[in-house]
């Protein structure tokens, strides 16, 4: 029962945030599909212990196609994860971060939303079943990695002249919603963190779950340090303190 209540809280939060919306009286298109879903519980997870898995590969019968069978996947845009790991293993210092709810930050055209419907309870007391639909890209759809990748790439290249090194690192070392950066100076890691935060924040993405072998790089960034380019360098120099 506790898991069911947690499940309902996630659904209610998604409705409140506009991730899910009630289906309209008239469908947006003829492509209507309902997605099965179930919980994925990971007690050892750092943040979210329970995630909802949307099964876009489910079929109503062996002869019928799944939603993923009908979606255009697009070409692979992600760099090879082995290359990312090897590049950073060659460096003395490393920092990693994660884009919070990356897929859910990308809105779907209303004409495509009816293909991502689902059923859930209106309230836990009455258990009345209601139909909702997603307003954004979801994890589990075959096209989602490409959509996220091309969205990030288009956003990042706008900052090539302003933050050339950070943009280069983000393009080379971001795998889906996880990013890495390595270097030999602590100042470099702190500068990357501030600039990457600013760049992604401008696109509506929030970076979190920072981990590093440099303690200062895991500390929260003062809000003022993310406001403009020169603040990133200033913050990096002042936050380091004593040298190695």
């Amino acid at each position: 029962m506790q898991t069911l209540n947690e499940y309902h809280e996630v659904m209610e939060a998604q409705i409140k945030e506009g991730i899910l919306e009630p289906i309209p009286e008239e469908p947006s298109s003829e492509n209507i599909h309902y997605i099965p879903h179930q919980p994925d519980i990971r007690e050892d997870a750092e943040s979210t212990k329970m995630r909802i898995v949307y099964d876009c590969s489910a079929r109503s019968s062996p002869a019928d196609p799944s939603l993923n069978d009908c979606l255009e996947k697009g070409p692979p845009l992600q760099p090879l994860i082995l290359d990312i790991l090897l590049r950073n293993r060659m460096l003395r210092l490393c920092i990693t971060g994660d884009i919070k709810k990356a897929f859910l930050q990308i809105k779907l055209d209303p004409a495509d939303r009816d293909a991502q419907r689902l059923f859930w309870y209106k309230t836990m007391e009455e258990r009345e079943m209601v139909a909702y639909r997603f307003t954004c890209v979801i994890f589990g759809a075959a096209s989602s990695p490409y959509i996220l990748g091309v969205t990030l790439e288009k956003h990042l290249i706008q900052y090539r002249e302003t933050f050339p090194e950070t943009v280069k690192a983000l393009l080379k070392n971001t795998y889906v919603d996880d990013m890495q950066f390595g270097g030999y100076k602590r100042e470099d890691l702190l500068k990357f963190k501030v600039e990457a935060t600013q760049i992604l924040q401008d696109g509506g993405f929030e970076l979190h779950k920072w981990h590093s072998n440099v303690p200062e790089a895991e500390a929260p960034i003062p809000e003022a340090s993310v406001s403009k380019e020169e603040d990133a360098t200033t913050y990096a120099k002042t936050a380091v303190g004593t040298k190695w």
Side-chain angles (χ1 to χ4, degrees), residues 36-104:
H37 49 94
Q38 62 186 36
D40 174 31
I41 300 172
R42 298 181 298 169
E43 295 295 342
D44 59 343
E46 179 181 349
S47 54
T48 308
K49 305 295 183 184
M50 186 196 72
R51 295 181 182 273
I52 299 177
V53 178
Y54 303 101
D55 189 358
C56 299
S57 295
R59 303 167 183 265
S60 58
S61 74
D64 293 324
S66 67
L67 176 60
N68 279 343
D69 290 331
C70 301
L71 293 173
E72 176 60 53
K73 296 180 180 179
L77 297 178
Q78 311 295 341
L80 296 176
I81 191 168
L82 179 61
D83 292 352
I84 296 174
L85 295 173
L86 288 176
R87 273 195 294 271
N88 285 291
R89 288 288 291 177
M90 300 297 290
L91 299 168
R92 182 182 182 189
L93 306 173
C94 182
I95 185 171
T96 65
D98 175 85
I99 303 174
K100 187 176 182 180
K101 298 180 179 178
F103 294 102
L104 299 179

Side-chain angles (χ1 to χ4, degrees), residues 149-191:
V150 76
T151 301
L152 288 174
E153 183 176 309
K154 181 173 177 149
H155 177 67
L156 292 174
I157 59 177
Q158 301 176 84
Y159 296 82
R160 273 179 169 163
E161 294 185 6
T162 310
F163 305 112
E165 293 302 319
T166 297
V167 168
K168 181 180 178 182
L170 287 170
L171 290 171
K172 287 180 63 178
N173 297 320
T174 299
Y175 188 80
V176 190
D177 57 354
D178 295 301
M179 61 188 62
Q180 290 193 29
F181 176 77
Y184 293 98
K185 297 180 181 179
R186 291 188 288 177
E187 293 95 327
D188 294 340
L189 269 64
L190 291 163
K191 188 170 183 287

Side-chain angles (χ1 to χ4, degrees), residues 120-131:
W120 189 245
Y121 301 124
K122 186 174 182 179
T123 66
M124 289 302 296
E125 291 75 23
E126 298 177 2
R127 302 290 179 92
E128 176 188 352
M129 201 69 75
V130 180

